Amino acid sequence: MSSNSSSKNSHAWLNAGAIETALGRESAPETSVIRDILDKSLAMEPLGLDEIVALMRVKKPEDWVLIMGTADLLKQKAYGDRIVLTAPLHIANDCASECLYCSAHKSNDTVKRKRLSPYDVKEAGTKLMRQGHKRIVVSAGQEETFDAEYYAEIIEALHHIFDGIGEIRQVNTNLGALDGADYEVLKNLDTGTVNIFQETYHESCYRRAHPKGPKSDFFKRLEAPDVALKAGMKDVGLGLALGLGPWEYDLLALSLHASHLTQEYGAGNKNVNLHRIRLAPGCNFEVPHPLNNRDFIHCVALVRLAIPYSGIVLSTREPEGLWREGCNAGCSQILTGSLANPYESWINAPGEKIPFPLGEDCHLDEVVRFLLEEAKNLPSFCSACPRLGRSGSEFRQLVCNGGIKDQCGPNSMASFMEFLLNYATPYTRKLGEKLISEKLEKLDEHERRASEKLLQKVRSGRMDEFI
């Protein structure tokens, strides 16, 4: 697990020695110690390395039940019971890097390369919108230079999709590490959260998986969130490709990264994307540190407890039962939609290149139905916070003092009612109306009145109502 990261002064926060020392603990803590640590999380205080490792070493089943229940309770305290739904949109699989686990790696000759035009993007975005999506995250490979003009056209096309009922209200990005001037371009395009996956913080594991190309620069990738925030971006998201490095090491390093961003910029990180490595066509790569389902769910819960203010993003690319479990382990957002999956829908016809991904079977209505039938979570399509300037340090502080939860309840109900009236199947609408009624009864008088006022406006035909 050795790393030279801590020898770089500009990255001294990534203290590999401290991580390794903390992971040296083998003994399980007493239940009383566990409760003290969980109480700290519930007070919205980030955990230290030793505290996180103590929770990793828990052995008793009843203590794990306590940890999982507290992670869910903490998510409810921070954001309420809503689950935000966002659609990924893969716009290009051209890439200059040779990431061994990714189908877009430069030398992969089994895939058909494609770069969606602004017209293609508008068409794809319209399909997502007509499922009911309001939020999109644009994803692409990393080329040698950032094509500012292309991304300006793409993001502008998405912002201008409207058919009289639906529209795209927030566009986030999941791109490579960019320079400050490039992030300024994204800021001026009214881009929301800039997601920058470190993939793994374990330097030697990172270098083995990323041998060539722009993404091979471990430290540039590590520094990208700093560069984005210094360039004026309000929100950054972090992310792990779980399986590339030891997940316990990566979780501790992630917590140090979040702490660094909070100390330096006040903003912290808006969210954490947790996705397991899944090999794609044309990849001759063995996942070095695979996570089983149990470890994955524990990782979700521990990230929630370690960084209590952060959103946690999962994907329906995970097996159905697993992303469903994640909804009760601290997850607050799900990536899903007709364009969400870059691998499963690819057909490997003999003698032909595997086509650019265009769809998957997981329809938005199906995901909403699960949230209503089993999880009893409130599906949310709200994008009010960034449009009202609730971002960066202000957003983090609101989460920590309970202010975001107070906003999320009424706003999520209004955005969900808009979905039910315009996009849901009759059965899903019936379930949604019932759940809204049940949740209204549990709200305090002030929040209930605010929610009912917004719901009345939406039922009367108003769109995009929020407080």
Side-chain angles (χ1 to χ4, degrees), residues 353-381:
K353 289 183 182 295
I354 300 167
F356 187 80
L358 290 178
E360 67 162 328
D361 295 329
C362 195
H363 193 281
L364 178 59
D365 193 86
E366 298 172 17
V367 177
V368 169
R369 194 179 308 163
F370 155 71
L371 293 175
L372 299 174
E373 285 182 323
E374 299 183 41
K376 298 298 181 182
N377 291 119
L378 186 67
S380 176
F381 302 88

mmCIF file of all heavy atoms in Angstrom, residues 353-381:
data_model
loop_
_atom_site.group_PDB
_atom_site.id
_atom_site.type_symbol
_atom_site.label_atom_id
_atom_site.label_comp_id
_atom_site.label_asym_id
_atom_site.label_seq_id
_atom_site.Cartn_x
_atom_site.Cartn_y
_atom_site.Cartn_z
ATOM 1 N N LYS A 353 -17.910 -4.448 -35.203
ATOM 2 C CA LYS A 353 -17.540 -3.673 -34.025
ATOM 3 C C LYS A 353 -18.762 -3.507 -33.119
ATOM 4 O O LYS A 353 -19.893 -3.436 -33.590
ATOM 5 C CB LYS A 353 -17.015 -2.292 -34.435
ATOM 6 C CG LYS A 353 -15.644 -2.342 -35.112
ATOM 7 C CD LYS A 353 -15.175 -0.937 -35.417
ATOM 8 C CE LYS A 353 -13.833 -0.940 -36.124
ATOM 9 N NZ LYS A 353 -12.752 -1.458 -35.283
ATOM 10 N N ILE A 354 -18.522 -3.434 -31.818
ATOM 11 C CA ILE A 354 -19.600 -3.221 -30.864
ATOM 12 C C ILE A 354 -20.049 -1.765 -30.981
ATOM 13 O O ILE A 354 -19.231 -0.848 -30.912
ATOM 14 C CB ILE A 354 -19.118 -3.520 -29.435
ATOM 15 C CG1 ILE A 354 -18.657 -4.972 -29.366
ATOM 16 C CG2 ILE A 354 -20.196 -3.260 -28.424
ATOM 17 C CD1 ILE A 354 -17.880 -5.306 -28.132
ATOM 18 N N PRO A 355 -21.342 -1.520 -31.192
ATOM 19 C CA PRO A 355 -21.801 -0.157 -31.459
ATOM 20 C C PRO A 355 -21.758 0.748 -30.235
ATOM 21 O O PRO A 355 -21.681 0.289 -29.104
ATOM 22 C CB PRO A 355 -23.239 -0.358 -31.931
ATOM 23 C CG PRO A 355 -23.667 -1.624 -31.272
ATOM 24 C CD PRO A 355 -22.446 -2.489 -31.229
ATOM 25 N N PHE A 356 -21.811 2.023 -30.519
ATOM 26 C CA PHE A 356 -21.907 3.032 -29.458
ATOM 27 C C PHE A 356 -23.178 2.768 -28.649
ATOM 28 O O PHE A 356 -24.214 2.469 -29.218
ATOM 29 C CB PHE A 356 -21.969 4.422 -30.092
ATOM 30 C CG PHE A 356 -21.909 5.555 -29.100
ATOM 31 C CD1 PHE A 356 -20.700 5.959 -28.575
ATOM 32 C CD2 PHE A 356 -23.058 6.218 -28.712
ATOM 33 C CE1 PHE A 356 -20.631 7.014 -27.682
ATOM 34 C CE2 PHE A 356 -22.998 7.268 -27.814
ATOM 35 C CZ PHE A 356 -21.780 7.664 -27.297
ATOM 36 N N PRO A 357 -23.116 2.841 -27.315
ATOM 37 C CA PRO A 357 -24.293 2.507 -26.508
ATOM 38 C C PRO A 357 -25.429 3.507 -26.702
ATOM 39 O O PRO A 357 -25.225 4.711 -26.693
ATOM 40 C CB PRO A 357 -23.757 2.563 -25.071
ATOM 41 C CG PRO A 357 -22.606 3.505 -25.143
ATOM 42 C CD PRO A 357 -21.987 3.283 -26.494
ATOM 43 N N LEU A 358 -26.625 2.989 -26.875
ATOM 44 C CA LEU A 358 -27.776 3.864 -27.072
ATOM 45 C C LEU A 358 -28.910 3.605 -26.091
ATOM 46 O O LEU A 358 -29.865 4.367 -26.047
ATOM 47 C CB LEU A 358 -28.313 3.708 -28.506
ATOM 48 C CG LEU A 358 -27.412 4.279 -29.596
ATOM 49 C CD1 LEU A 358 -28.032 4.021 -30.961
ATOM 50 C CD2 LEU A 358 -27.193 5.769 -29.402
ATOM 51 N N GLY A 359 -28.873 2.539 -25.325
ATOM 52 C CA GLY A 359 -30.007 2.337 -24.433
ATOM 53 C C GLY A 359 -29.802 1.226 -23.431
ATOM 54 O O GLY A 359 -28.840 0.481 -23.471
ATOM 55 N N GLU A 360 -30.742 1.101 -22.515
ATOM 56 C CA GLU A 360 -30.789 0.006 -21.563
ATOM 57 C C GLU A 360 -32.242 -0.269 -21.231
ATOM 58 O O GLU A 360 -33.130 0.477 -21.614
ATOM 59 C CB GLU A 360 -29.994 0.333 -20.299
ATOM 60 C CG GLU A 360 -30.595 1.446 -19.470
ATOM 61 C CD GLU A 360 -30.067 1.445 -18.041
ATOM 62 O OE1 GLU A 360 -29.771 0.366 -17.518
ATOM 63 O OE2 GLU A 360 -29.983 2.516 -17.461
ATOM 64 N N ASP A 361 -32.486 -1.338 -20.506
ATOM 65 C CA ASP A 361 -33.855 -1.764 -20.260
ATOM 66 C C ASP A 361 -34.480 -1.110 -19.031
ATOM 67 O O ASP A 361 -35.681 -1.220 -18.826
ATOM 68 C CB ASP A 361 -33.910 -3.283 -20.090
ATOM 69 C CG ASP A 361 -33.513 -4.012 -21.365
ATOM 70 O OD1 ASP A 361 -33.765 -3.454 -22.451
ATOM 71 O OD2 ASP A 361 -32.952 -5.110 -21.266
ATOM 72 N N CYS A 362 -33.687 -0.461 -18.205
ATOM 73 C CA CYS A 362 -34.189 0.082 -16.939
ATOM 74 C C CYS A 362 -34.890 1.420 -17.180
ATOM 75 O O CYS A 362 -34.256 2.475 -17.203
ATOM 76 C CB CYS A 362 -33.042 0.241 -15.946
ATOM 77 S SG CYS A 362 -33.598 0.498 -14.257
ATOM 78 N N HIS A 363 -36.184 1.378 -17.380
ATOM 79 C CA HIS A 363 -36.956 2.588 -17.646
ATOM 80 C C HIS A 363 -37.192 3.352 -16.346
ATOM 81 O O HIS A 363 -37.324 2.773 -15.267
ATOM 82 C CB HIS A 363 -38.289 2.213 -18.300
ATOM 83 C CG HIS A 363 -39.026 3.372 -18.886
ATOM 84 N ND1 HIS A 363 -39.756 4.248 -18.117
ATOM 85 C CD2 HIS A 363 -39.152 3.792 -20.169
ATOM 86 C CE1 HIS A 363 -40.294 5.168 -18.907
ATOM 87 N NE2 HIS A 363 -39.949 4.905 -20.150
ATOM 88 N N LEU A 364 -37.264 4.664 -16.451
ATOM 89 C CA LEU A 364 -37.438 5.514 -15.284
ATOM 90 C C LEU A 364 -38.680 5.132 -14.483
ATOM 91 O O LEU A 364 -38.661 5.127 -13.253
ATOM 92 C CB LEU A 364 -37.511 6.979 -15.718
ATOM 93 C CG LEU A 364 -37.732 8.016 -14.614
ATOM 94 C CD1 LEU A 364 -36.626 7.946 -13.568
ATOM 95 C CD2 LEU A 364 -37.791 9.420 -15.228
ATOM 96 N N ASP A 365 -39.767 4.817 -15.161
ATOM 97 C CA ASP A 365 -40.998 4.471 -14.450
ATOM 98 C C ASP A 365 -40.806 3.245 -13.557
ATOM 99 O O ASP A 365 -41.374 3.172 -12.462
ATOM 100 C CB ASP A 365 -42.125 4.212 -15.457
ATOM 101 C CG ASP A 365 -43.492 4.160 -14.789
ATOM 102 O OD1 ASP A 365 -44.094 5.234 -14.607
ATOM 103 O OD2 ASP A 365 -43.949 3.052 -14.441
ATOM 104 N N GLU A 366 -39.972 2.297 -13.988
ATOM 105 C CA GLU A 366 -39.706 1.112 -13.183
ATOM 106 C C GLU A 366 -38.964 1.464 -11.902
ATOM 107 O O GLU A 366 -39.249 0.921 -10.832
ATOM 108 C CB GLU A 366 -38.895 0.103 -13.987
ATOM 109 C CG GLU A 366 -39.575 -0.414 -15.236
ATOM 110 C CD GLU A 366 -38.644 -1.267 -16.078
ATOM 111 O OE1 GLU A 366 -37.610 -1.715 -15.531
ATOM 112 O OE2 GLU A 366 -38.923 -1.473 -17.260
ATOM 113 N N VAL A 367 -37.985 2.360 -12.021
ATOM 114 C CA VAL A 367 -37.223 2.773 -10.842
ATOM 115 C C VAL A 367 -38.129 3.529 -9.870
ATOM 116 O O VAL A 367 -38.101 3.294 -8.654
ATOM 117 C CB VAL A 367 -36.033 3.655 -11.256
ATOM 118 C CG1 VAL A 367 -35.269 4.153 -10.035
ATOM 119 C CG2 VAL A 367 -35.089 2.883 -12.174
ATOM 120 N N VAL A 368 -38.949 4.412 -10.397
ATOM 121 C CA VAL A 368 -39.885 5.154 -9.550
ATOM 122 C C VAL A 368 -40.823 4.192 -8.835
ATOM 123 O O VAL A 368 -41.110 4.340 -7.638
ATOM 124 C CB VAL A 368 -40.680 6.171 -10.395
ATOM 125 C CG1 VAL A 368 -41.841 6.748 -9.592
ATOM 126 C CG2 VAL A 368 -39.772 7.294 -10.879
ATOM 127 N N ARG A 369 -41.294 3.182 -9.557
ATOM 128 C CA ARG A 369 -42.228 2.226 -8.959
ATOM 129 C C ARG A 369 -41.582 1.491 -7.796
ATOM 130 O O ARG A 369 -42.222 1.266 -6.761
ATOM 131 C CB ARG A 369 -42.700 1.239 -10.021
ATOM 132 C CG ARG A 369 -43.917 0.409 -9.596
ATOM 133 C CD ARG A 369 -44.334 -0.531 -10.714
ATOM 134 N NE ARG A 369 -44.494 0.196 -11.967
ATOM 135 C CZ ARG A 369 -44.529 -0.393 -13.156
ATOM 136 N NH1 ARG A 369 -44.373 -1.713 -13.246
ATOM 137 N NH2 ARG A 369 -44.694 0.319 -14.251
ATOM 138 N N PHE A 370 -40.311 1.102 -7.938
ATOM 139 C CA PHE A 370 -39.633 0.459 -6.816
ATOM 140 C C PHE A 370 -39.575 1.385 -5.612
ATOM 141 O O PHE A 370 -39.850 0.980 -4.480
ATOM 142 C CB PHE A 370 -38.215 0.048 -7.182
ATOM 143 C CG PHE A 370 -37.317 -0.056 -5.980
ATOM 144 C CD1 PHE A 370 -37.481 -1.085 -5.078
ATOM 145 C CD2 PHE A 370 -36.368 0.912 -5.697
ATOM 146 C CE1 PHE A 370 -36.703 -1.163 -3.933
ATOM 147 C CE2 PHE A 370 -35.586 0.851 -4.565
ATOM 148 C CZ PHE A 370 -35.754 -0.198 -3.678
ATOM 149 N N LEU A 371 -39.181 2.635 -5.838
ATOM 150 C CA LEU A 371 -39.064 3.575 -4.724
ATOM 151 C C LEU A 371 -40.395 3.737 -4.000
ATOM 152 O O LEU A 371 -40.435 3.978 -2.793
ATOM 153 C CB LEU A 371 -38.573 4.926 -5.239
ATOM 154 C CG LEU A 371 -37.134 4.944 -5.787
ATOM 155 C CD1 LEU A 371 -36.818 6.301 -6.385
ATOM 156 C CD2 LEU A 371 -36.126 4.591 -4.715
ATOM 157 N N LEU A 372 -41.496 3.589 -4.724
ATOM 158 C CA LEU A 372 -42.825 3.728 -4.125
ATOM 159 C C LEU A 372 -43.280 2.444 -3.439
ATOM 160 O O LEU A 372 -43.838 2.488 -2.337
ATOM 161 C CB LEU A 372 -43.838 4.107 -5.214
ATOM 162 C CG LEU A 372 -43.587 5.429 -5.932
ATOM 163 C CD1 LEU A 372 -44.581 5.599 -7.075
ATOM 164 C CD2 LEU A 372 -43.697 6.598 -4.974
ATOM 165 N N GLU A 373 -43.034 1.310 -4.080
ATOM 166 C CA GLU A 373 -43.581 0.050 -3.578
ATOM 167 C C GLU A 373 -42.780 -0.515 -2.421
ATOM 168 O O GLU A 373 -43.344 -1.034 -1.455
ATOM 169 C CB GLU A 373 -43.609 -0.988 -4.703
ATOM 170 C CG GLU A 373 -44.699 -0.773 -5.716
ATOM 171 C CD GLU A 373 -44.716 -1.866 -6.777
ATOM 172 O OE1 GLU A 373 -43.625 -2.332 -7.168
ATOM 173 O OE2 GLU A 373 -45.812 -2.228 -7.208
ATOM 174 N N GLU A 374 -41.469 -0.448 -2.504
ATOM 175 C CA GLU A 374 -40.629 -1.151 -1.545
ATOM 176 C C GLU A 374 -39.856 -0.229 -0.616
ATOM 177 O O GLU A 374 -39.829 -0.423 0.588
ATOM 178 C CB GLU A 374 -39.657 -2.075 -2.291
ATOM 179 C CG GLU A 374 -40.364 -3.133 -3.126
ATOM 180 C CD GLU A 374 -39.373 -4.065 -3.793
ATOM 181 O OE1 GLU A 374 -38.392 -4.448 -3.145
ATOM 182 O OE2 GLU A 374 -39.589 -4.394 -4.974
ATOM 183 N N ALA A 375 -39.197 0.765 -1.179
ATOM 184 C CA ALA A 375 -38.343 1.623 -0.349
ATOM 185 C C ALA A 375 -39.128 2.697 0.382
ATOM 186 O O ALA A 375 -38.691 3.214 1.405
ATOM 187 C CB ALA A 375 -37.266 2.281 -1.208
ATOM 188 N N LYS A 376 -40.301 3.044 -0.159
ATOM 189 C CA LYS A 376 -41.108 4.126 0.402
ATOM 190 C C LYS A 376 -40.343 5.451 0.418
ATOM 191 O O LYS A 376 -40.565 6.311 1.267
ATOM 192 C CB LYS A 376 -41.587 3.780 1.819
ATOM 193 C CG LYS A 376 -42.480 2.554 1.880
ATOM 194 C CD LYS A 376 -43.761 2.726 1.091
ATOM 195 C CE LYS A 376 -44.657 1.518 1.183
ATOM 196 N NZ LYS A 376 -45.897 1.644 0.389
ATOM 197 N N ASN A 377 -39.402 5.585 -0.516
ATOM 198 C CA ASN A 377 -38.692 6.853 -0.690
ATOM 199 C C ASN A 377 -39.464 7.736 -1.650
ATOM 200 O O ASN A 377 -40.200 7.252 -2.509
ATOM 201 C CB ASN A 377 -37.286 6.627 -1.251
ATOM 202 C CG ASN A 377 -36.370 5.952 -0.253
ATOM 203 O OD1 ASN A 377 -35.868 4.869 -0.489
ATOM 204 N ND2 ASN A 377 -36.141 6.590 0.876
ATOM 205 N N LEU A 378 -39.263 9.026 -1.511
ATOM 206 C CA LEU A 378 -39.924 9.995 -2.385
ATOM 207 C C LEU A 378 -39.023 10.287 -3.574
ATOM 208 O O LEU A 378 -37.965 10.899 -3.417
ATOM 209 C CB LEU A 378 -40.213 11.284 -1.614
ATOM 210 C CG LEU A 378 -41.037 12.340 -2.339
ATOM 211 C CD1 LEU A 378 -42.464 11.849 -2.554
ATOM 212 C CD2 LEU A 378 -41.040 13.638 -1.552
ATOM 213 N N PRO A 379 -39.391 9.844 -4.783
ATOM 214 C CA PRO A 379 -38.584 10.183 -5.962
ATOM 215 C C PRO A 379 -38.571 11.694 -6.179
ATOM 216 O O PRO A 379 -39.602 12.354 -6.058
ATOM 217 C CB PRO A 379 -39.302 9.467 -7.106
ATOM 218 C CG PRO A 379 -40.145 8.411 -6.448
ATOM 219 C CD PRO A 379 -40.548 9.009 -5.141
ATOM 220 N N SER A 380 -37.415 12.225 -6.488
ATOM 221 C CA SER A 380 -37.285 13.674 -6.644
ATOM 222 C C SER A 380 -36.579 14.020 -7.947
ATOM 223 O O SER A 380 -35.594 13.380 -8.318
ATOM 224 C CB SER A 380 -36.495 14.265 -5.472
ATOM 225 O OG SER A 380 -36.282 15.655 -5.659
ATOM 226 N N PHE A 381 -37.110 15.043 -8.615
ATOM 227 C CA PHE A 381 -36.496 15.568 -9.839
ATOM 228 C C PHE A 381 -36.129 17.041 -9.650
ATOM 229 O O PHE A 381 -35.938 17.772 -10.609
ATOM 230 C CB PHE A 381 -37.471 15.412 -11.019
ATOM 231 C CG PHE A 381 -37.892 13.995 -11.256
ATOM 232 C CD1 PHE A 381 -38.986 13.461 -10.598
ATOM 233 C CD2 PHE A 381 -37.174 13.185 -12.112
ATOM 234 C CE1 PHE A 381 -39.378 12.147 -10.803
ATOM 235 C CE2 PHE A 381 -37.545 11.860 -12.323
ATOM 236 C CZ PHE A 381 -38.657 11.342 -11.666
#
